[in-house]
Amino acid sequence: MSVAQTMDSTPSAVRRREASAWKYRWSRQITAYLFLLPAIVLFAVFAWYPILRAVEMSFNEVTLNGQSTWVGLANYELMLKDPAFSAAWGNSLQFAGWSLLLGFFLPVGVAIGIREMRHVQGFFRIVYFLPTVVPAAISVLIWRFMYDPDAGVLNEIMMLFGGQRLYWLQDVALVKPSIVAMMTWGAFGTTALVYLSSLQEIPTELYEAAELDGATPLSRIRHVTLPHLYPVMSVLVILQVLAVVQVFTEPFLMTNGGPGRETLTPTLHIYNRAFIRIDLGYAAAWSVTMIVVLLIFSAIYQTLNRKLSSE
């Protein structure tokens, strides 16, 4: 081995080469990081800082003028003793269950149905997406009129077919699925659009080969369409659960948490404690708890999903 080769293999030479390679990679990426810097700063100011501030406030008794008194874990102890704790989280779990039952498979079915159409696909893409552009407050007004026990459209249809009037938003057995139905109507268009976009990536040769093999439409959906949708479905299911657990607008405007506490959610309770009762420290403890619960759920789901995907 020559002297030059021996010197190149010394630890100091190796470190110099690694430092030179790192500088080269950094010089090529610094432009990208500079473009990302404004977004990172905005995200830090409007997302990370409020979370850190909420964690700090949860250990204090905070007043509107900004004064705070350290109370340790008192807010969390009070939260666990609060009867609204079990009611709100129980309602969130039920909302999530109803949402998966009523709203998870509907966008999949709509997207697959449009994909299987030979004509007027563009028309139906517009039709199913229209509810998404309706503001939430307007949607609430529409559905409150439909759910009206005396003059509502749904009860009129029920009476037309010999049924009886139902109290959609007053009956504890109907209020949750009624609210979830409205949420599904307003949101499934976006989800169906995601599924339809994913379906466009499936090579048409696979469908043509299936048709040549005599596959029925149901067989094509089962053996070609759904396997390609599974990765997207696994992501959207967790996004849907996270969104439903944090639901606020619909219960707030439709029932304000009633009847009783049947539609009280953690976010609605946080709003009531923070802005109605001005108990900011206690509301912050609820907020931190919700963040932790959703993070744990996301981690468990992703772990199980990876294990199932690897089998």
Side-chain angles (χ1 to χ4, degrees):
M1 181 181 294
S2 65
V3 176
Q5 291 177 335
T6 304
M7 294 179 63
D8 286 342
S9 61
T10 60
S12 59
V14 172
R15 286 195 295 269
R16 284 196 300 271
R17 286 198 299 270
E18 291 177 351
S20 178
W22 182 85
K23 290 179 180 179
Y24 175 73
R25 289 195 299 267
W26 176 253
S27 65
R28 296 189 62 184
Q29 297 177 7
I30 189 169
T31 303
Y33 284 114
L34 288 176
F35 277 107
L36 285 174
L37 184 61
I40 294 174
V41 171
L42 289 175
F43 195 78
V45 171
F46 294 104
W48 297 334
Y49 174 73
I51 292 175
L52 295 176
R53 180 68 176 134
V55 173
E56 178 190 358
M57 291 173 61
S58 68
F59 296 103
N60 291 271
E61 181 180 349
V62 185
T63 60
L64 282 177
N65 60 9
Q67 296 181 351
S68 59
T69 304
W70 178 265
V71 294
L73 297 174
N75 287 324
Y76 291 95
E77 294 173 357
L78 181 62
M79 177 188 64
L80 295 176
K81 296 177 182 178
D82 191 342
F85 183 80
S86 58
W89 282 106
N91 291 337
S92 292
L93 291 176
Q94 293 182 54
F95 274 126
W98 279 109
S99 176
L100 294 176
L101 181 64
L102 299 178
F104 180 68
F105 297 103
L106 178 61
V108 179
V110 170
I112 293 176
I114 294 176
R115 174 63 178 79
E116 292 291 324
M117 289 180 179
R118 302 299 184 183
H119 308 286
V120 297
Q121 284 191 8
F123 171 76
F124 283 100
R125 288 178 185 176
I126 296 174
V127 168
Y128 77 72
F129 191 73
L130 281 178
T132 305
V133 302
V134 178
I138 304 301
S139 299
V140 168
L141 292 176
I142 295 172
W143 282 85
R144 287 187 68 173
F145 173 74
M146 294 175 60
Y147 285 144
D148 188 274
D150 298 320
V153 175
L154 294 180
N155 275 338
E156 292 298 326
I157 296 175
M158 296 284 292
M159 298 290 289
L160 185 64
F161 289 95
Q164 58 182 356
R165 297 185 183 277
L166 298 176
Y167 294 88
W168 302 95
L169 299 179
Q170 293 77 29
D171 190 337
V172 296
L174 296 176
V175 63
K176 289 187 181 71
S178 298
I179 291 179
V180 170
M182 184 192 70
M183 294 165 55
T184 301
W185 175 82
F188 88 94
T190 303
T191 308
L193 188 64
V194 174
Y195 285 128
L196 191 58
S197 175
S198 179
L199 289 175
Q200 302 304 317
E201 299 177 0
I202 302 177
T204 56
E205 291 81 3
L206 295 179
Y207 288 104
E208 294 172 355
E211 290 181 1
L212 291 175
D213 290 339
T216 63
L218 290 178
S219 297
R220 293 200 305 269
I221 292 173
R222 179 183 177 185
H223 298 288
V224 178
T225 304
L226 289 180
H228 285 80
L229 285 182
Y230 285 153
V232 180
M233 294 172 67
S234 65
V235 173
L236 290 181
V237 68
I238 189 171
L239 294 178
Q240 181 171 341
V241 171
L242 295 179
V244 171
V245 170
Q246 300 175 75
V247 65
F248 170 79
T249 303
E250 290 80 4
F252 176 66
L253 295 178
M254 294 283 284
T255 61
N256 198 24
R261 288 177 173 169
E262 289 299 320
T263 56
L264 180 68
T265 60
T267 51
L268 182 55
H269 191 61
I270 291 170
Y271 169 84
N272 291 333
R273 296 303 295 248
F275 300 105
I276 305 300
R277 301 182 61 174
I278 317 298
D279 195 351
L280 302 180
Y282 183 72
W286 270 79
S287 301
V288 173
T289 302
M290 186 169 67
I291 292 173
V292 172
V293 170
L294 295 181
L295 285 175
I296 293 174
F297 168 77
S298 301
I300 293 175
Y301 177 82
Q302 293 293 342
T303 302
L304 293 177
N305 191 45
R306 282 195 296 267
K307 289 183 178 180
L308 293 175
S309 299
S310 62
E311 291 179 357

